[in-house]
Amino acid sequence: MTATDGWPFANPVLTASGCGGTGRDLAAYGDLATLGGFVTRSVTLHPRPGGAVPRIVESPSGLVNAIGLQNPGVTGFLRDELPPLLDLGAIVVVSLAGRSLGEYAELSRTLGRTDGIVALEVNLSAPDPLGTSLFDAREPFQAGSVVGSCRRDLRAGVLLLVKLRSDVSRVVETARAAVDAGADAIVVGNALPAALPDGRPGGLSGPAIRPQALRCVAEVARALPATPMIGCGGIMDADDARAYLDAGARAVQIGTALFHDPTTAFRIAREIAYQPDGPAGEDDR
Ligand SMILES: Cc1cc2nc3c(=O)[nH]c(=O)nc-3n(C[C@H](O)[C@H](O)[C@H](O)COP(=O)(O)O)c2cc1C
Protein backbone atom coordinates (compact mmCIF):
# COMPACT_ATOMS: atom_id res chain seq x y z
CA MET A 1 0.00 0.00 0.00
CA THR A 2 1.40 3.39 -0.93
CA ALA A 3 0.26 6.95 -0.42
CA THR A 4 -1.37 6.85 -3.83
CA ASP A 5 -3.41 3.68 -3.37
CA GLY A 6 -5.54 4.34 -0.34
CA TRP A 7 -3.39 5.21 2.67
CA PRO A 8 -5.40 8.14 4.01
CA PHE A 9 -2.96 9.62 6.53
CA ALA A 10 -0.98 12.50 5.07
CA ASN A 11 1.12 12.73 8.22
CA PRO A 12 2.34 9.70 10.22
CA VAL A 13 1.22 11.05 13.61
CA LEU A 14 -2.27 10.21 14.89
CA THR A 15 -3.89 10.41 18.31
CA ALA A 16 -4.49 7.13 20.16
CA SER A 17 -8.01 5.97 20.94
CA GLY A 18 -9.52 7.40 24.10
CA CYS A 19 -6.71 9.90 24.69
CA GLY A 20 -7.91 12.92 22.69
CA GLY A 21 -11.33 13.16 24.32
CA THR A 22 -14.03 14.03 21.81
CA GLY A 23 -11.51 16.15 19.90
CA ARG A 24 -13.10 19.45 20.88
CA ASP A 25 -10.87 19.92 23.93
CA LEU A 26 -7.76 18.91 22.01
CA ALA A 27 -8.60 21.41 19.28
CA ALA A 28 -7.90 24.20 21.78
CA TYR A 29 -4.22 23.17 21.61
CA GLY A 30 -3.70 22.74 17.86
CA ASP A 31 -5.29 22.24 14.46
CA LEU A 32 -6.65 18.69 14.25
CA ALA A 33 -6.35 18.87 10.46
CA THR A 34 -2.55 18.93 10.77
CA LEU A 35 -2.50 15.48 12.37
CA GLY A 36 -2.42 12.29 10.34
CA GLY A 37 -5.69 11.37 11.98
CA PHE A 38 -7.85 11.54 15.08
CA VAL A 39 -8.79 8.17 16.55
CA THR A 40 -11.97 8.31 18.64
CA ARG A 41 -12.46 6.50 21.92
CA SER A 42 -13.87 3.02 21.35
CA VAL A 43 -17.53 3.25 20.40
CA THR A 44 -19.91 0.45 21.35
CA LEU A 45 -23.39 -0.41 20.08
CA HIS A 46 -25.09 0.85 23.24
CA PRO A 47 -24.02 3.67 25.60
CA ARG A 48 -21.69 2.66 28.46
CA PRO A 49 -21.42 4.67 31.68
CA GLY A 50 -17.84 3.54 32.37
CA GLY A 51 -16.24 2.27 35.56
CA ALA A 52 -16.17 3.64 39.10
CA VAL A 53 -13.87 6.55 39.98
CA PRO A 54 -10.96 6.97 40.24
CA ARG A 55 -10.51 5.87 36.64
CA ILE A 56 -7.00 7.16 35.99
CA VAL A 57 -4.11 6.88 38.44
CA GLU A 58 -0.48 7.86 37.91
CA SER A 59 2.18 5.19 38.25
CA PRO A 60 5.96 5.43 37.78
CA SER A 61 6.48 6.17 34.06
CA GLY A 62 2.85 5.82 33.15
CA LEU A 63 -0.86 5.81 33.90
CA VAL A 64 -3.19 3.05 34.97
CA ASN A 65 -6.69 3.58 33.61
CA ALA A 66 -9.97 1.82 34.18
CA ILE A 67 -12.26 3.93 32.02
CA GLY A 68 -14.44 0.93 31.24
CA LEU A 69 -15.08 2.08 27.66
CA GLN A 70 -17.33 4.97 28.66
CA ASN A 71 -18.99 6.26 25.49
CA PRO A 72 -22.39 7.45 24.25
CA GLY A 73 -23.01 4.43 21.99
CA VAL A 74 -22.94 4.53 18.22
CA THR A 75 -26.13 6.57 17.82
CA GLY A 76 -24.97 9.22 20.29
CA PHE A 77 -21.52 9.26 18.73
CA LEU A 78 -22.87 9.82 15.22
CA ARG A 79 -25.25 12.52 16.44
CA ASP A 80 -23.07 14.48 18.89
CA GLU A 81 -19.38 13.67 18.42
CA LEU A 82 -18.66 12.96 14.76
CA PRO A 83 -20.06 16.21 13.24
CA PRO A 84 -17.84 18.56 15.32
CA LEU A 85 -14.79 16.43 14.52
CA LEU A 86 -15.50 16.67 10.81
CA ASP A 87 -16.13 20.41 11.14
CA LEU A 88 -12.69 20.73 12.72
CA GLY A 89 -11.17 19.13 9.61
CA ALA A 90 -9.99 15.96 11.36
CA ILE A 91 -9.22 12.79 9.43
CA VAL A 92 -11.50 10.58 11.51
CA VAL A 93 -10.75 7.00 12.51
CA VAL A 94 -13.50 5.45 14.62
CA SER A 95 -12.49 2.83 17.13
CA LEU A 96 -15.11 0.16 17.78
CA ALA A 97 -15.57 -2.52 20.39
CA GLY A 98 -18.26 -5.20 20.68
CA ARG A 99 -19.57 -7.87 23.00
CA SER A 100 -20.20 -10.33 20.16
CA LEU A 101 -19.38 -10.94 16.52
CA GLY A 102 -22.85 -9.63 15.70
CA GLU A 103 -22.18 -6.36 17.49
CA TYR A 104 -18.87 -5.90 15.68
CA ALA A 105 -20.60 -6.56 12.34
CA GLU A 106 -23.41 -4.09 13.09
CA LEU A 107 -21.00 -1.38 14.23
CA SER A 108 -18.85 -1.88 11.18
CA ARG A 109 -21.86 -1.70 8.86
CA THR A 110 -23.27 1.42 10.52
CA LEU A 111 -20.01 3.32 10.84
CA GLY A 112 -18.66 2.16 7.48
CA ARG A 113 -21.55 3.71 5.56
CA THR A 114 -21.26 7.06 7.37
CA ASP A 115 -19.74 9.77 5.23
CA GLY A 116 -16.54 11.33 6.52
CA ILE A 117 -15.13 8.30 8.36
CA VAL A 118 -11.93 7.23 6.58
CA ALA A 119 -11.08 4.20 8.69
CA LEU A 120 -12.36 1.93 11.41
CA GLU A 121 -10.06 0.67 14.15
CA VAL A 122 -11.23 -2.65 15.56
CA ASN A 123 -10.26 -2.73 19.21
CA LEU A 124 -9.10 -6.27 19.95
CA SER A 125 -6.72 -5.14 22.63
CA ALA A 126 -8.66 -4.09 25.72
CA PRO A 127 -6.52 -4.82 28.80
CA ASP A 128 -9.50 -6.40 30.58
CA PRO A 129 -11.82 -7.79 27.86
CA LEU A 130 -13.74 -10.11 30.16
CA GLY A 131 -14.20 -7.56 32.94
CA THR A 132 -15.48 -5.05 30.40
CA SER A 133 -17.75 -7.69 28.79
CA LEU A 134 -16.10 -7.49 25.38
CA PHE A 135 -15.84 -10.38 22.95
CA ASP A 136 -12.78 -12.34 23.98
CA ALA A 137 -10.44 -12.05 20.98
CA ARG A 138 -7.15 -12.94 22.61
CA GLU A 139 -6.64 -16.07 20.49
CA PRO A 140 -5.66 -15.62 16.83
CA PHE A 141 -8.70 -17.54 15.51
CA GLN A 142 -11.00 -15.30 17.57
CA ALA A 143 -9.30 -12.18 16.24
CA GLY A 144 -9.76 -13.51 12.70
CA SER A 145 -13.47 -14.09 13.34
CA VAL A 146 -13.99 -10.51 14.50
CA VAL A 147 -12.09 -9.05 11.57
CA GLY A 148 -14.03 -11.24 9.12
CA SER A 149 -17.32 -10.03 10.68
CA CYS A 150 -16.27 -6.40 10.32
CA ARG A 151 -14.91 -6.80 6.80
CA ARG A 152 -17.94 -8.58 5.37
CA ASP A 153 -20.25 -5.58 5.02
CA LEU A 154 -17.73 -2.76 5.15
CA ARG A 155 -18.08 -0.23 2.36
CA ALA A 156 -15.18 -0.24 -0.10
CA GLY A 157 -12.74 2.59 0.51
CA VAL A 158 -13.03 2.55 4.31
CA LEU A 159 -9.75 1.27 5.74
CA LEU A 160 -9.96 -1.51 8.32
CA LEU A 161 -7.33 -1.13 11.05
CA VAL A 162 -7.04 -3.80 13.72
CA LYS A 163 -5.58 -2.86 17.08
CA LEU A 164 -3.80 -5.68 18.90
CA ARG A 165 -2.35 -5.92 22.37
CA SER A 166 1.43 -6.00 22.53
CA ASP A 167 1.55 -9.63 23.58
CA VAL A 168 5.06 -10.75 22.71
CA SER A 169 4.17 -14.43 22.63
CA ARG A 170 1.13 -14.16 20.30
CA VAL A 171 1.19 -10.89 18.45
CA VAL A 172 2.62 -12.16 15.17
CA GLU A 173 0.13 -15.04 14.91
CA THR A 174 -2.74 -12.72 15.83
CA ALA A 175 -1.66 -10.11 13.30
CA ARG A 176 -1.42 -12.79 10.61
CA ALA A 177 -4.93 -14.04 11.44
CA ALA A 178 -6.25 -10.48 11.26
CA VAL A 179 -4.63 -9.83 7.89
CA ASP A 180 -5.84 -13.17 6.49
CA ALA A 181 -9.37 -12.18 7.55
CA GLY A 182 -9.19 -8.82 5.76
CA ALA A 183 -7.37 -6.26 7.93
CA ASP A 184 -5.77 -3.48 5.88
CA ALA A 185 -3.34 -2.44 8.61
CA ILE A 186 -2.30 -3.48 12.11
CA VAL A 187 -2.04 -1.22 15.14
CA VAL A 188 0.13 -2.41 18.07
CA GLY A 189 -0.55 -1.99 20.97
CA ASN A 190 -2.86 -0.97 23.77
CA ALA A 191 -2.38 -0.45 27.51
CA LEU A 192 -1.11 -3.61 29.20
CA PRO A 193 -3.12 -5.49 31.83
CA ALA A 194 -2.41 -3.93 35.23
CA ALA A 195 -4.20 -3.01 38.45
CA LEU A 196 -5.12 0.24 40.17
CA PRO A 197 -3.80 0.64 43.71
CA ASP A 198 -7.15 -0.64 45.06
CA GLY A 199 -6.74 -3.86 43.05
CA ARG A 200 -9.31 -3.18 40.32
CA PRO A 201 -8.21 -4.26 36.84
CA GLY A 202 -6.93 -1.53 34.56
CA GLY A 203 -4.43 -0.85 31.79
CA LEU A 204 -0.89 0.46 32.10
CA SER A 205 0.17 2.96 29.44
CA GLY A 206 2.94 5.50 28.89
CA PRO A 207 6.73 5.25 28.72
CA ALA A 208 6.74 2.13 30.91
CA ILE A 209 5.29 0.06 28.04
CA ARG A 210 7.25 1.56 25.14
CA PRO A 211 10.09 -1.00 24.90
CA GLN A 212 7.62 -3.85 24.95
CA ALA A 213 5.30 -2.38 22.31
CA LEU A 214 8.31 -1.49 20.19
CA ARG A 215 9.49 -5.08 20.20
CA CYS A 216 6.06 -6.28 19.08
CA VAL A 217 5.92 -3.70 16.28
CA ALA A 218 9.35 -4.79 15.06
CA GLU A 219 8.37 -8.46 15.10
CA VAL A 220 5.09 -7.94 13.24
CA ALA A 221 6.76 -5.63 10.70
CA ARG A 222 9.41 -8.27 10.02
CA ALA A 223 6.86 -11.07 9.72
CA LEU A 224 4.35 -9.15 7.57
CA PRO A 225 6.41 -6.67 5.52
CA ALA A 226 3.58 -5.96 3.07
CA THR A 227 1.12 -4.91 5.79
CA PRO A 228 1.15 -1.29 7.00
CA MET A 229 1.74 -1.04 10.75
CA ILE A 230 0.90 1.68 13.22
CA GLY A 231 2.92 1.76 16.44
CA CYS A 232 1.44 2.88 19.75
CA GLY A 233 2.79 2.82 23.27
CA GLY A 234 4.64 5.36 25.38
CA ILE A 235 5.53 7.85 22.66
CA MET A 236 6.45 11.13 24.36
CA ASP A 237 8.52 12.92 21.71
CA ALA A 238 9.69 12.80 18.10
CA ASP A 239 12.62 10.50 18.91
CA ASP A 240 10.24 7.93 20.38
CA ALA A 241 8.08 8.20 17.27
CA ARG A 242 11.10 7.76 15.02
CA ALA A 243 12.07 4.60 16.89
CA TYR A 244 8.73 3.07 15.88
CA LEU A 245 9.07 4.27 12.29
CA ASP A 246 12.59 2.83 12.15
CA ALA A 247 11.24 -0.46 13.49
CA GLY A 248 8.89 -0.68 10.50
CA ALA A 249 5.79 1.28 11.49
CA ARG A 250 4.27 3.48 8.85
CA ALA A 251 2.59 5.73 11.40
CA VAL A 252 2.33 6.18 15.16
CA GLN A 253 -0.35 7.05 17.70
CA ILE A 254 0.10 9.30 20.71
CA GLY A 255 -1.89 8.51 23.85
CA THR A 256 -0.77 9.08 27.43
CA ALA A 257 1.53 11.94 26.44
CA LEU A 258 -1.60 14.01 25.68
CA PHE A 259 -2.58 13.90 29.35
CA HIS A 260 0.79 15.42 30.29
CA ASP A 261 0.87 17.94 27.46
CA PRO A 262 -2.04 18.16 24.99
CA THR A 263 0.21 19.80 22.39
CA THR A 264 2.43 16.69 22.08
CA ALA A 265 0.85 15.14 18.98
CA PHE A 266 0.84 18.46 17.11
CA ARG A 267 4.48 19.04 18.01
CA ILE A 268 5.62 15.55 16.97
CA ALA A 269 3.63 15.85 13.73
CA ARG A 270 5.51 19.05 12.91
CA GLU A 271 8.89 17.58 13.84
CA ILE A 272 8.57 14.44 11.76
CA ALA A 273 8.97 15.14 8.09
CA TYR A 274 6.32 13.40 6.06
CA GLN A 275 7.69 10.86 3.58
CA PRO A 276 4.85 9.81 1.22
CA ASP A 277 6.11 6.27 0.69
CA GLY A 278 7.06 5.53 4.29
CA PRO A 279 10.48 5.53 5.92
CA ALA A 280 13.33 5.75 3.43
CA GLY A 281 14.16 2.48 1.71
CA GLU A 282 11.01 0.72 2.91
CA ASP A 283 8.52 1.54 0.20
CA ASP A 284 6.97 -1.93 0.02
CA ARG A 285 4.56 -1.15 2.86
C1 LIG B 1 -7.45 7.19 29.57
C2 LIG B 1 -7.26 6.22 28.45
C3 LIG B 1 -8.35 5.80 27.70
C4 LIG B 1 -8.18 4.88 26.66
N1 LIG B 1 -9.27 4.48 25.93
C5 LIG B 1 -9.09 3.61 24.90
C6 LIG B 1 -10.20 3.20 24.09
O1 LIG B 1 -11.35 3.62 24.27
N2 LIG B 1 -9.95 2.31 23.09
C7 LIG B 1 -8.69 1.82 22.82
O2 LIG B 1 -8.51 1.04 21.88
N3 LIG B 1 -7.63 2.22 23.56
C8 LIG B 1 -7.80 3.08 24.58
N4 LIG B 1 -6.72 3.48 25.31
C9 LIG B 1 -5.38 2.95 24.98
C10 LIG B 1 -4.61 3.95 24.11
O3 LIG B 1 -5.27 4.20 22.89
C11 LIG B 1 -3.19 3.41 23.80
O4 LIG B 1 -3.30 2.26 22.99
C12 LIG B 1 -2.41 3.04 25.05
O5 LIG B 1 -2.64 3.95 26.09
C13 LIG B 1 -0.90 2.94 24.75
O6 LIG B 1 -0.40 4.15 24.22
P1 LIG B 1 0.25 5.30 25.15
O7 LIG B 1 1.29 4.63 26.00
O8 LIG B 1 0.80 6.30 24.19
O9 LIG B 1 -0.87 5.83 25.96
C14 LIG B 1 -6.88 4.37 26.37
C15 LIG B 1 -5.78 4.81 27.13
C16 LIG B 1 -5.95 5.72 28.16
C17 LIG B 1 -4.75 6.15 28.94
Side-chain angles (χ1 to χ4, degrees):
M1 186 180 289
T2 70
T4 51
D5 72 359
W7 188 247
F9 310 120
N11 181 296
V13 180
L14 290 74
T15 59
S17 176
C19 297
T22 60
R24 278 171 279 187
D25 298 337
L26 197 61
Y29 297 91
D31 181 358
L32 294 188
T34 64
L35 298 175
F38 180 91
V39 184
T40 69
R41 59 181 157 176
S42 291
V43 173
T44 52
L45 199 53
H46 305 292
R48 289 177 62 118
V53 292
R55 293 176 174 176
I56 302 184
V57 175
E58 278 204 73
S59 76
S61 287
L63 296 178
V64 182
N65 89 80
I67 302 292
L69 295 177
Q70 182 201 9
N71 80 94
V74 67
T75 306
F77 168 78
L78 291 176
R79 186 189 56 230
D80 301 329
E81 298 190 0
L82 180 63
L85 272 176
L86 295 175
D87 287 347
L88 288 163
I91 301 293
V92 179
V93 178
V94 181
S95 169
L96 55 122
R99 292 176 301 186
S100 64
L101 294 178
E103 283 197 3
Y104 273 107
E106 192 170 341
L107 283 164
S108 170
R109 221 173 11 249
T110 304
L111 292 164
R113 65 173 179 239
T114 303
D115 288 339
I117 297 174
V118 305
L120 302 184
E121 182 178 275
V122 183
N123 180 1
L124 298 185
S125 52
D128 181 28
L130 303 184
T132 42
S133 316
L134 293 185
F135 183 80
D136 185 1
R138 287 174 293 177
E139 293 296 325
F141 78 92
Q142 295 167 319
S145 303
V146 175
V147 177
S149 301
C150 291
R151 176 92 267 171
R152 202 164 304 126
D153 295 325
L154 187 59
R155 188 171 68 173
V158 180
L159 212 68
L160 190 62
L161 314 180
V162 177
K163 182 174 178 182
L164 303 178
R165 55 174 57 217
S166 53
D167 176 341
V168 174
S169 61
R170 306 305 297 272
V171 71
V172 169
E173 292 94 316
T174 314
R176 210 185 292 280
V179 170
D180 288 348
D184 293 309
I186 299 291
V187 183
V188 175
N190 205 318
L192 291 177
L196 281 92
D198 61 13
R200 281 181 294 143
L204 174 65
S205 61
I209 70 167
R210 187 171 59 242
Q212 206 247 3
L214 186 58
R215 171 168 166 173
C216 290
V217 166
E219 291 195 357
V220 175
R222 249 195 317 274
L224 301 172
T227 302
M229 292 243 6
I230 300 179
C232 178
I235 297 175
M236 304 303 280
D237 58 30
D239 285 344
D240 296 340
R242 282 192 199 97
Y244 277 94
L245 299 176
D246 290 347
R250 176 133 186 208
V252 294
Q253 295 180 353
I254 316 294
T256 297
L258 299 175
F259 293 92
H260 293 279
D261 176 358
T263 66
T264 311
F266 302 106
R267 189 161 28 81
I268 297 177
R270 277 195 304 274
E271 288 176 20
I272 294 211
Y274 173 53
Q275 300 165 46
D277 291 320
E282 296 180 307
D283 52 8
D284 59 338
R285 263 175 275 117

Short mmCIF file of all heavy atoms in Angstrom, two decimals, residues 194-231:
data_model
loop_
_atom_site.label_atom_id
_atom_site.label_comp_id
_atom_site.label_asym_id
_atom_site.label_seq_id
_atom_site.Cartn_x
_atom_site.Cartn_y
_atom_site.Cartn_z
N ALA A 194 -3.04 -4.42 33.99
CA ALA A 194 -2.41 -3.93 35.23
C ALA A 194 -3.52 -3.79 36.27
O ALA A 194 -4.66 -4.18 36.02
CB ALA A 194 -1.73 -2.59 34.96
N ALA A 195 -3.17 -3.24 37.43
CA ALA A 195 -4.20 -3.01 38.45
C ALA A 195 -4.05 -1.62 39.03
O ALA A 195 -2.93 -1.08 39.13
CB ALA A 195 -4.09 -4.04 39.57
N LEU A 196 -5.17 -1.02 39.41
CA LEU A 196 -5.12 0.24 40.17
C LEU A 196 -4.67 -0.09 41.59
O LEU A 196 -4.72 -1.26 42.00
CB LEU A 196 -6.50 0.90 40.18
CG LEU A 196 -6.84 1.64 38.88
CD1 LEU A 196 -7.56 0.73 37.92
CD2 LEU A 196 -7.67 2.87 39.15
N PRO A 197 -4.27 0.92 42.35
CA PRO A 197 -3.80 0.64 43.71
C PRO A 197 -4.84 -0.10 44.57
O PRO A 197 -4.48 -0.84 45.48
CB PRO A 197 -3.52 2.03 44.29
CG PRO A 197 -3.24 2.87 43.09
CD PRO A 197 -4.10 2.33 41.99
N ASP A 198 -6.13 0.07 44.27
CA ASP A 198 -7.15 -0.64 45.06
C ASP A 198 -7.42 -2.05 44.54
O ASP A 198 -8.32 -2.73 45.01
CB ASP A 198 -8.44 0.17 45.12
CG ASP A 198 -9.06 0.40 43.73
OD1 ASP A 198 -8.63 -0.26 42.76
OD2 ASP A 198 -9.97 1.24 43.61
N GLY A 199 -6.63 -2.48 43.53
CA GLY A 199 -6.74 -3.86 43.05
C GLY A 199 -7.66 -4.04 41.87
O GLY A 199 -7.70 -5.12 41.27
N ARG A 200 -8.42 -3.01 41.49
CA ARG A 200 -9.31 -3.18 40.32
C ARG A 200 -8.49 -3.32 39.05
O ARG A 200 -7.44 -2.67 38.92
CB ARG A 200 -10.23 -1.97 40.19
CG ARG A 200 -11.42 -1.97 41.14
CD ARG A 200 -12.27 -0.75 40.91
NE ARG A 200 -11.57 0.47 41.28
CZ ARG A 200 -11.67 1.62 40.61
NH1 ARG A 200 -12.41 1.72 39.54
NH2 ARG A 200 -11.01 2.68 41.02
N PRO A 201 -8.95 -4.12 38.08
CA PRO A 201 -8.21 -4.26 36.84
C PRO A 201 -8.17 -2.97 36.04
O PRO A 201 -9.15 -2.22 36.03
CB PRO A 201 -8.97 -5.34 36.05
CG PRO A 201 -10.01 -5.86 36.96
CD PRO A 201 -10.17 -4.93 38.13
N GLY A 202 -7.06 -2.71 35.40
CA GLY A 202 -6.93 -1.53 34.56
C GLY A 202 -5.87 -1.79 33.49
O GLY A 202 -5.46 -2.93 33.28
N GLY A 203 -5.44 -0.72 32.83
CA GLY A 203 -4.43 -0.85 31.79
C GLY A 203 -3.30 0.13 32.02
O GLY A 203 -3.54 1.31 32.30
N LEU A 204 -2.09 -0.37 31.93
CA LEU A 204 -0.89 0.46 32.10
C LEU A 204 -0.44 1.01 30.75
O LEU A 204 -0.26 0.25 29.80
CB LEU A 204 0.24 -0.38 32.73
CG LEU A 204 1.61 0.30 32.85
CD1 LEU A 204 1.55 1.48 33.82
CD2 LEU A 204 2.67 -0.71 33.30
N SER A 205 -0.27 2.32 30.68
CA SER A 205 0.17 2.96 29.44
C SER A 205 1.31 3.93 29.75
O SER A 205 1.65 4.13 30.91
CB SER A 205 -1.01 3.71 28.81
OG SER A 205 -1.46 4.72 29.71
N GLY A 206 1.87 4.52 28.69
CA GLY A 206 2.94 5.50 28.89
C GLY A 206 4.32 4.90 28.67
O GLY A 206 4.47 3.76 28.22
N PRO A 207 5.36 5.67 29.01
CA PRO A 207 6.73 5.25 28.72
C PRO A 207 7.08 3.86 29.25
O PRO A 207 7.91 3.16 28.67
CB PRO A 207 7.59 6.32 29.42
CG PRO A 207 6.71 7.52 29.46
CD PRO A 207 5.31 7.02 29.61
N ALA A 208 6.42 3.44 30.34
CA ALA A 208 6.74 2.13 30.91
C ALA A 208 6.54 1.00 29.89
O ALA A 208 7.24 -0.01 29.95
CB ALA A 208 5.87 1.88 32.14
N ILE A 209 5.59 1.16 28.96
CA ILE A 209 5.29 0.06 28.04
C ILE A 209 5.98 0.19 26.69
O ILE A 209 5.87 -0.69 25.84
CB ILE A 209 3.77 -0.10 27.83
CG1 ILE A 209 3.19 1.07 27.01
CG2 ILE A 209 3.04 -0.26 29.16
CD1 ILE A 209 1.78 0.81 26.51
N ARG A 210 6.70 1.31 26.48
CA ARG A 210 7.25 1.56 25.14
C ARG A 210 8.19 0.46 24.63
O ARG A 210 8.04 -0.01 23.50
CB ARG A 210 7.93 2.93 25.09
CG ARG A 210 8.35 3.32 23.68
CD ARG A 210 8.84 4.75 23.60
NE ARG A 210 9.96 5.00 24.45
CZ ARG A 210 9.98 5.86 25.47
NH1 ARG A 210 8.92 6.58 25.75
NH2 ARG A 210 11.06 6.03 26.19
N PRO A 211 9.16 0.01 25.44
CA PRO A 211 10.09 -1.00 24.90
C PRO A 211 9.37 -2.29 24.50
O PRO A 211 9.74 -2.93 23.51
CB PRO A 211 11.05 -1.25 26.07
CG PRO A 211 10.92 -0.05 26.96
CD PRO A 211 9.51 0.41 26.81
N GLN A 212 8.32 -2.62 25.23
CA GLN A 212 7.62 -3.85 24.95
C GLN A 212 6.79 -3.71 23.66
O GLN A 212 6.80 -4.59 22.80
CB GLN A 212 6.73 -4.17 26.16
CG GLN A 212 6.44 -5.63 26.31
CD GLN A 212 4.99 -5.90 26.09
OE1 GLN A 212 4.24 -4.99 25.78
NE2 GLN A 212 4.61 -7.14 26.25
N ALA A 213 6.09 -2.60 23.53
CA ALA A 213 5.30 -2.38 22.31
C ALA A 213 6.22 -2.28 21.09
O ALA A 213 5.91 -2.81 20.02
CB ALA A 213 4.47 -1.11 22.45
N LEU A 214 7.36 -1.65 21.30
CA LEU A 214 8.31 -1.49 20.19
C LEU A 214 8.80 -2.85 19.69
O LEU A 214 8.91 -3.09 18.49
CB LEU A 214 9.50 -0.64 20.67
CG LEU A 214 10.53 -0.22 19.64
CD1 LEU A 214 9.91 0.56 18.50
CD2 LEU A 214 11.62 0.63 20.33
N ARG A 215 9.06 -3.74 20.61
CA ARG A 215 9.49 -5.08 20.20
C ARG A 215 8.40 -5.76 19.37
O ARG A 215 8.68 -6.40 18.35
CB ARG A 215 9.82 -5.92 21.42
CG ARG A 215 10.05 -7.36 21.02
CD ARG A 215 10.65 -8.19 22.08
NE ARG A 215 10.52 -9.60 21.73
CZ ARG A 215 11.07 -10.57 22.41
NH1 ARG A 215 11.80 -10.30 23.47
NH2 ARG A 215 10.90 -11.82 22.03
N CYS A 216 7.16 -5.63 19.81
CA CYS A 216 6.06 -6.28 19.08
C CYS A 216 5.90 -5.67 17.69
O CYS A 216 5.68 -6.38 16.70
CB CYS A 216 4.76 -6.14 19.86
SG CYS A 216 4.76 -7.13 21.34
N VAL A 217 6.02 -4.36 17.59
CA VAL A 217 5.92 -3.70 16.28
C VAL A 217 7.02 -4.22 15.36
O VAL A 217 6.79 -4.57 14.20
CB VAL A 217 5.99 -2.17 16.44
CG1 VAL A 217 6.24 -1.48 15.11
CG2 VAL A 217 4.72 -1.65 17.08
N ALA A 218 8.23 -4.31 15.88
CA ALA A 218 9.35 -4.79 15.06
C ALA A 218 9.11 -6.22 14.60
O ALA A 218 9.36 -6.56 13.43
CB ALA A 218 10.66 -4.70 15.86
N GLU A 219 8.58 -7.06 15.47
CA GLU A 219 8.37 -8.46 15.10
C GLU A 219 7.27 -8.60 14.05
O GLU A 219 7.40 -9.36 13.10
CB GLU A 219 8.03 -9.29 16.35
CG GLU A 219 9.25 -9.42 17.26
CD GLU A 219 9.12 -10.50 18.31
OE1 GLU A 219 8.06 -11.15 18.40
OE2 GLU A 219 10.10 -10.69 19.05
N VAL A 220 6.19 -7.84 14.22
CA VAL A 220 5.09 -7.94 13.24
C VAL A 220 5.56 -7.36 11.90
O VAL A 220 5.28 -7.92 10.83
CB VAL A 220 3.82 -7.22 13.74
CG1 VAL A 220 2.74 -7.23 12.67
CG2 VAL A 220 3.30 -7.89 15.01
N ALA A 221 6.29 -6.25 11.95
CA ALA A 221 6.76 -5.63 10.70
C ALA A 221 7.69 -6.59 9.94
O ALA A 221 7.61 -6.68 8.71
CB ALA A 221 7.48 -4.32 11.00
N ARG A 222 8.51 -7.30 10.67
CA ARG A 222 9.41 -8.27 10.02
C ARG A 222 8.62 -9.44 9.42
O ARG A 222 8.90 -9.89 8.32
CB ARG A 222 10.40 -8.83 11.05
CG ARG A 222 11.83 -8.36 10.82
CD ARG A 222 12.86 -9.16 11.58
NE ARG A 222 12.51 -9.47 12.95
CZ ARG A 222 12.74 -8.66 13.99
NH1 ARG A 222 13.33 -7.49 13.80
NH2 ARG A 222 12.40 -9.01 15.21
N ALA A 223 7.61 -9.89 10.16
CA ALA A 223 6.86 -11.07 9.72
C ALA A 223 5.89 -10.75 8.58
O ALA A 223 5.61 -11.61 7.74
CB ALA A 223 6.08 -11.65 10.90
N LEU A 224 5.37 -9.52 8.57
CA LEU A 224 4.35 -9.15 7.57
C LEU A 224 4.78 -7.86 6.87
O LEU A 224 4.16 -6.81 7.03
CB LEU A 224 2.99 -8.94 8.25
CG LEU A 224 2.41 -10.14 9.02
CD1 LEU A 224 1.16 -9.73 9.79
CD2 LEU A 224 2.07 -11.28 8.07
N PRO A 225 5.85 -7.91 6.07
CA PRO A 225 6.41 -6.67 5.52
C PRO A 225 5.47 -5.95 4.56
O PRO A 225 5.64 -4.75 4.33
CB PRO A 225 7.68 -7.15 4.80
CG PRO A 225 7.50 -8.61 4.59
CD PRO A 225 6.61 -9.11 5.68
N ALA A 226 4.48 -6.64 4.02
CA ALA A 226 3.58 -5.96 3.07
C ALA A 226 2.39 -5.31 3.77
O ALA A 226 1.57 -4.65 3.12
CB ALA A 226 3.07 -6.96 2.04
N THR A 227 2.27 -5.47 5.07
CA THR A 227 1.12 -4.91 5.79
C THR A 227 1.51 -3.63 6.52
O THR A 227 2.45 -3.65 7.34
CB THR A 227 0.62 -5.94 6.84
OG1 THR A 227 0.27 -7.15 6.16
CG2 THR A 227 -0.59 -5.41 7.61
N PRO A 228 0.83 -2.53 6.26
CA PRO A 228 1.15 -1.29 7.00
C PRO A 228 0.92 -1.47 8.50
O PRO A 228 -0.07 -2.09 8.91
CB PRO A 228 0.19 -0.26 6.43
CG PRO A 228 -0.30 -0.83 5.15
CD PRO A 228 -0.25 -2.32 5.29
N MET A 229 1.84 -0.93 9.29
CA MET A 229 1.74 -1.04 10.75
C MET A 229 1.66 0.34 11.36
O MET A 229 2.30 1.28 10.89
CB MET A 229 3.02 -1.67 11.31
CG MET A 229 3.22 -3.07 10.95
SD MET A 229 3.23 -4.15 12.35
CE MET A 229 2.84 -3.28 13.77
N ILE A 230 0.94 0.44 12.44
CA ILE A 230 0.90 1.68 13.22
C ILE A 230 1.36 1.33 14.64
O ILE A 230 0.81 0.41 15.26
CB ILE A 230 -0.51 2.29 13.23
CG1 ILE A 230 -0.95 2.62 11.79
CG2 ILE A 230 -0.54 3.55 14.10
CD1 ILE A 230 -2.34 3.20 11.65
N GLY A 231 2.37 2.04 15.12
CA GLY A 231 2.92 1.76 16.44
C GLY A 231 2.31 2.67 17.49
O GLY A 231 2.10 3.86 17.25
#
